[in-house]
Amino acid sequence: MDRAKISSQQMGVRRFGRVNWLGLRTLARREVMRFMAVWQQTIFAPLMTAGLFVLVFALALGEGRGEVMGLPYLVFLGPGIMMMTVIQNAFANTSSSITSAKVQGNIVDTLMPPLSAGEMLAGYMTGSVVRAGLVALVIGTGMLAVTGAGVAHPAWAVCFVLLAILMLGGLGILAGILAEKFDQMSAINNFIIMPLSFLSGTFYSVQSLPQPFRSLSHWNPIFYLIDGARYGVTGVSDAPVWRGLAVSLAVVLAVLYLAWRWLKSGYRMKA
């Protein structure tokens, strides 16, 4: 056997071309099946939570709540509820997958196969896109049926939903890498992700806030996601939609790049 053939068979040499499509497809399929196996918890529960939010606000406020930004309150509220649920599900899917694998000690099953950092990133993100996309589709359809309103700018709405999934799915990867146990992950979610999503104009217009809270809201990247989706659905927004798109794209690229770097180096994942 000549040296060239021996060299080609050495461990660690990629023999799948530029992209390991089989490995990528397998990881993506695993991530989708992981949350679909418990769909009552990952899909049905968020839909019930979103429905309860709408029901509580409708019963508590009724017709007594005035218009917000020229819209009936439930029409204004709908896109915020949808995006808040999308954000939470996109973050939960990637963060729980990595944290569970680290705690259970089977993260090696993902690290050992011949997958590049980009392929691992794409595989994990596929799970978030499918899970949060399903939630967005069902909640969005339900909201339109309840309010009777149409979609003003469908392309903008889809764009900001996708950006939200990518941003929070990427943050979920970073949080999963940082966390060593589930209570650390819960702390990240409870003290960072949830406050940012609740204080981003989900239930109110930031224009109604006094200074300096109004200006501080514009430093919250999740504000631009919710505001952009609201513009896509209703045609009104608190901030210029192009500024929201630019900020969201910049944050998404930064988050995904950092996630790719950490996956490539094995930071806090490899012994």
Side-chain angles (χ1 to χ4, degrees):
M1 186 178 297
D2 58 34
R3 293 183 177 179
K5 188 172 183 180
I6 293 175
S7 176
S8 67
Q9 294 178 347
Q10 290 177 349
M11 292 184 64
V13 177
R14 285 178 63 90
R15 297 183 291 274
F16 304 93
R18 296 183 65 86
V19 179
N20 181 356
W21 292 110
L22 176 60
L24 173 57
R25 185 167 61 250
T26 302
L27 177 58
R29 184 169 179 266
R30 187 197 73 179
E31 289 301 297
V32 173
M33 292 180 65
R34 193 183 67 84
F35 76 79
M36 288 301 295
V38 286
W39 63 269
Q40 300 93 334
Q41 174 185 345
T42 56
I43 301 296
F44 185 68
L47 301 181
M48 286 294 297
T49 301
L52 287 173
F53 267 115
V54 174
L55 181 62
V56 167
F57 276 100
L59 293 176
L61 300 176
E63 299 296 330
R65 181 66 163 89
E67 293 185 343
V68 180
M69 298 174 64
L71 300 170
Y73 185 61
L74 285 183
V75 175
F76 171 86
L77 182 67
I81 294 291
M82 179 188 71
M83 288 296 283
M84 184 181 69
T85 310
V86 165
I87 284 166
Q88 292 174 349
N89 278 267
F91 178 84
N93 202 72
T94 50
S95 62
S96 63
S97 179
I98 295 177
T99 305
S100 298
K102 290 170 66 177
V103 171
Q104 296 169 5
N106 57 26
I107 190 66
V108 67
D109 295 337
T110 303
L111 298 178
M112 284 296 290
L115 291 169
S116 68
E119 290 159 358
M120 284 193 288
L121 178 63
Y124 279 120
M125 291 301 300
T126 298
S128 282
V129 169
V130 175
R131 175 175 169 178
L134 286 173
V135 169
L137 179 63
V138 176
I139 293 180
T141 302
M143 291 293 181
L144 294 178
V146 169
T147 62
V151 180
H153 308 287
W156 280 108
V158 172
C159 176
F160 277 99
V161 168
L162 182 58
L163 287 172
I165 295 172
L166 294 177
M167 185 187 299
L168 273 297
L171 287 173
I173 292 176
L174 298 179
I177 293 173
L178 286 173
E180 295 294 338
K181 44 190 177 179
F182 288 114
D183 57 350
Q184 293 177 349
M185 176 54 61
S186 297
I188 294 173
N189 185 44
N190 292 334
F191 294 108
I192 298 178
I193 302 301
M194 288 189 67
L196 287 177
S197 60
F198 273 88
L199 300 175
S200 57
T202 300
F203 306 104
Y204 55 86
S205 168
V206 299
Q207 297 301 323
S208 63
L209 296 176
Q211 293 291 2
F213 300 106
R214 184 189 309 173
S215 297
L216 288 174
S217 295
H218 289 264
W219 288 91
N220 179 0
I222 296 180
F223 158 74
Y224 293 103
L225 298 174
I226 293 176
D227 194 54
R230 181 171 287 125
Y231 173 80
V233 175
T234 66
V236 299
S237 61
D238 277 313
V241 67
W242 284 104
R243 183 203 300 169
L245 179 63
V247 171
S248 299
L249 276 173
V251 175
V252 166
L253 291 175
V255 167
L256 293 182
Y257 175 74
L258 183 57
W260 173 79
R261 290 287 301 177
W262 284 7
L263 288 171
K264 185 177 181 180
S265 66
Y267 176 63
R268 296 178 73 93
M269 295 179 72
K270 296 180 180 179

